[in-house]
Amino acid sequence: MLELVKSGGWLMMPIVACSVIAMAICLERLWTLRASSVAPAGLLGDLLAAFRKGKLETEQLAQIRNNSPLGRIMVAGIKNANHGRDVMKESIEEAASEVIHELERFLSPLGTIAAITPLLGLLGTVIGMIKVFNEIMIQGTGNASVLAGGISEALITTASGLAVAIPALIFHRFFLRRIDSLVVSMEQQAVKLVEMIHGQREED
């Protein structure tokens, strides 16, 4: 592997750096975007039961808010439940927009890596081919081994760029889809919370 990096030239360094960053982002997002962490099961029922018993104190609300993104959204609604359905709904929407922004954290850099690494690889190949043609001008076409080695080195950057870009693109699409699913789930839970508190829906 080290020999491949060396033979690929200086453009292998940003490609390797992109691969490390992409891997770190993927691991972090896989951990952060777990359904059990974002939208814990049973949170809605527990929150409604405590609200109706009048047992929701400031410390408990702060704990629920900090435990999960869904808890943050629901606490924002609970705090404004006494101001009417519309105000409660608006507070939930404001909290949800912040939560969605945080769920999409690091996805833009991951998408950028998926876009630029093939270009870096292509640039490395073009530079390598320029070197090969310079050698042809100097030595002629008699030394086939030199030409073959130069072309092989030139293509290493393209292969490396694609090897980084393809997984990065796959994970980028995967995370976007997971976020969409989590947002739909949280939206359904938030709607249930509003309607149950204001007596427009029976508990499931």
Side-chain angles (χ1 to χ4, degrees):
M1 183 63 71
L2 184 59
E3 290 301 320
L4 283 175
V5 172
K6 288 181 178 179
S7 62
W10 64 270
L11 274 170
M12 286 295 293
M13 298 307 297
I15 292 175
V16 171
C18 285
S19 70
V20 173
I21 295 171
M23 183 177 293
I25 292 173
C26 290
L27 292 175
E28 190 275 339
R29 288 292 90 185
L30 282 171
W31 177 258
T32 302
L33 296 178
R34 292 170 297 144
S36 59
S37 175
V38 176
L43 178 61
L44 175 60
D46 295 341
L47 195 58
L48 279 172
F51 176 78
R52 288 171 176 168
K53 292 178 182 178
K55 295 183 179 179
L56 282 174
E57 300 178 355
T58 303
E59 293 181 359
Q60 187 177 0
L61 287 174
Q63 183 178 3
I64 294 172
R65 183 182 187 278
N66 295 329
N67 281 346
S68 67
L70 179 60
R72 180 177 174 181
I73 293 172
M74 289 190 169
V75 167
I78 289 288
K79 286 184 176 180
N80 293 279
N82 295 329
H83 298 292
R85 185 179 187 277
D86 292 338
V87 175
M88 182 180 181
K89 185 178 178 181
E90 288 176 3
S91 63
I92 286 176
E93 290 175 351
E94 291 175 1
S97 64
E98 295 177 0
V99 165
I100 293 170
H101 179 72
E102 291 180 0
L103 292 179
E104 294 176 345
R105 187 182 182 189
F106 300 133
L107 291 193
S108 180
L110 184 61
T112 301
I113 288 172
I116 67 171
T117 45
L119 299 179
L120 289 172
L122 180 61
L123 177 60
T125 297
V126 171
I127 292 174
M129 294 303 294
I130 291 173
K131 292 180 180 178
V132 169
F133 283 112
N134 284 335
E135 289 296 322
I136 292 175
M137 291 175 61
I138 296 171
Q139 301 183 21
T141 59
N143 194 342
S145 62
V146 173
L147 298 180
I151 294 171
S152 175
E153 291 178 8
L155 293 176
I156 286 173
T157 53
T158 294
S160 301
L162 291 174
V164 175
I166 292 171
L169 180 60
I170 291 172
F171 274 104
H172 184 262
R173 298 288 178 86
F174 170 75
F175 290 135
L176 287 177
R177 178 59 182 166
R178 174 170 286 189
I179 290 171
D180 288 342
S181 299
L182 291 171
V183 168
V184 169
S185 176
M186 289 190 292
E187 182 181 358
Q188 291 172 347
Q189 297 293 314
V191 169
K192 287 181 181 179
L193 177 69
V194 173
E195 293 179 349
M196 288 178 183
I197 286 180
H198 289 281
Q200 296 175 327
R201 180 174 182 153
E202 298 296 328
E203 292 191 34
D204 295 337

